[in-house]
């Protein structure tokens, strides 16, 4: 079985990647809720259509509908704030 988020490429040089295990599979409603006023980007991959959500230049969230993992990229130079933001954001839905 191929990893869901294969061939990781950071959105910006130096950004770090984390894979979060979610309590349930991702839905289209979850993606819409996370999206807010941000633009949605999609990427076709071997593991499925990946929804890519950029949140205010702090984090990039990659989700695949029907899967229980989320790939999150953030700038480690941003201190603890990006990590805390992602934790709070994921807790609103999962």
């Amino acid at each position: 079985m191929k990893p869901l988020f294969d061939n990781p490429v950071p959105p910006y040089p130096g950004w770090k990647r984390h894979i979060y295990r979610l309590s349930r599979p991702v839905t289209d409603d979850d993606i819409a809720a996370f999206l807010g006023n941000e633009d949605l980007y999609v990427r076709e991959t071997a593991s499925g259509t990946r929804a890519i959500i950029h949140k205010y230049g702090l984090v990039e969230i990659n989700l695949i509908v029907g899967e229980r993992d989320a790939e999150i990229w953030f700038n480690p130079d941003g201190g603890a704030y990006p990590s805390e933001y992602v934790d709070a954001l994921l807790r609103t839905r999962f």
Side-chain angles (χ1 to χ4, degrees):
M1 175 188 251
K2 222 175 174 180
L4 282 179
F5 298 102
D6 54 343
N7 301 320
V9 176
Y12 301 102
W15 279 38
K16 301 294 179 193
R17 174 184 184 231
H18 288 276
I19 302 294
Y20 285 79
R21 182 74 172 161
L22 306 173
S23 62
R24 61 174 174 73
V26 173
T27 66
D28 287 321
D29 289 340
D30 295 324
I31 292 171
F34 286 147
L35 196 56
N37 293 330
E38 302 288 318
D39 291 328
L40 175 64
Y41 300 93
V42 293
R43 183 178 305 137
E44 295 296 330
T45 68
S47 54
T49 301
R50 188 183 301 187
I52 302 166
I53 304 166
H54 295 270
K55 296 305 283 181
Y56 313 110
L58 294 174
V59 298
E60 178 183 283
I61 303 168
N62 292 282
L63 301 169
I64 299 173
V65 172
E67 299 296 339
R68 292 181 62 163
D69 292 328
E71 179 185 53
I72 310 290
W73 291 91
F74 68 94
N75 182 355
D77 295 336
Y81 182 73
S83 179
E84 291 171 0
Y85 176 70
V86 167
D87 288 342
L89 190 63
L90 291 177
R91 283 189 194 126
T92 65
R93 297 295 296 188
F94 298 97

